[in-house]
Amino acid sequence: QVQLVESGGGSVQPGGFLRLSCAASGTIRSDATMGWYRQTPGKQRDMVATIITSGSPNYADSVKGRFAISRDTAKNTVYLQMNSLKPEDTAVYYCHYQVPGWVNGRRTDYNYWGQGTQVTVSS
């Protein structure tokens, strides 16, 4: 079992900033990809940023240049620095942990999610 605990959400004005943290515990694998997704009511959960163990990040186009993801492997913690926040960034942000695996002889991934933390950007 993998447990993901998020923190750092809140309410800010446009142009403000927040830093989200996600600490993973349990059976942690070195080949795991960690990241952040977000979801608003009536919409699907979309990738915001991911990062692999080596440190290579991947960002959604909508947040490039504004958000930065980082990872502390020793602490099994991933961070999301969110700058220049916009109202459209308002969502529940979910920490994500993904590892490759095999199920019934076929390649698949194991996905784990945190409970989510609310980020609200408004005037």
Side-chain angles (χ1 to χ4, degrees), residues 5 13 21 30 38-39 57 72 75 86 100 105 108 113 120 122:
V5 180
Q13 294 184 329
S21 299
S30 61
R38 65 187 181 187
Q39 186 173 24
D72 187 334
K75 297 171 63 176
K86 303 175 180 179
T108 190
W113 299 94
T120 301
S122 66

Side-chain angles (χ1 to χ4, degrees), residues 19-42:
R19 190 192 191 210
L20 306 183
S21 299
C22 174
S25 62
T27 305
I28 308 302
R29 287 171 49 168
S30 61
D31 59 344
T33 297
M34 296 187 69
W36 295 91
Y37 287 65
R38 65 187 181 187
Q39 186 173 24
T40 55

Side-chain angles (χ1 to χ4, degrees), residues 16-67:
F17 61 90
L18 286 171
R19 190 192 191 210
L20 306 183
S21 299
C22 174
S25 62
T27 305
I28 308 302
R29 287 171 49 168
S30 61
D31 59 344
T33 297
M34 296 187 69
W36 295 91
Y37 287 65
R38 65 187 181 187
Q39 186 173 24
T40 55
K43 300 182 67 177
Q44 68 178 29
R45 189 174 298 181
D46 294 323
M47 186 273 288
V48 176
T50 61
I51 188 167
I52 60 178
T53 303
S54 63
S56 181
N58 184 39
Y59 298 99
D61 288 340
S62 60
V63 306
K64 284 183 177 179
R66 299 189 297 118
F67 292 9

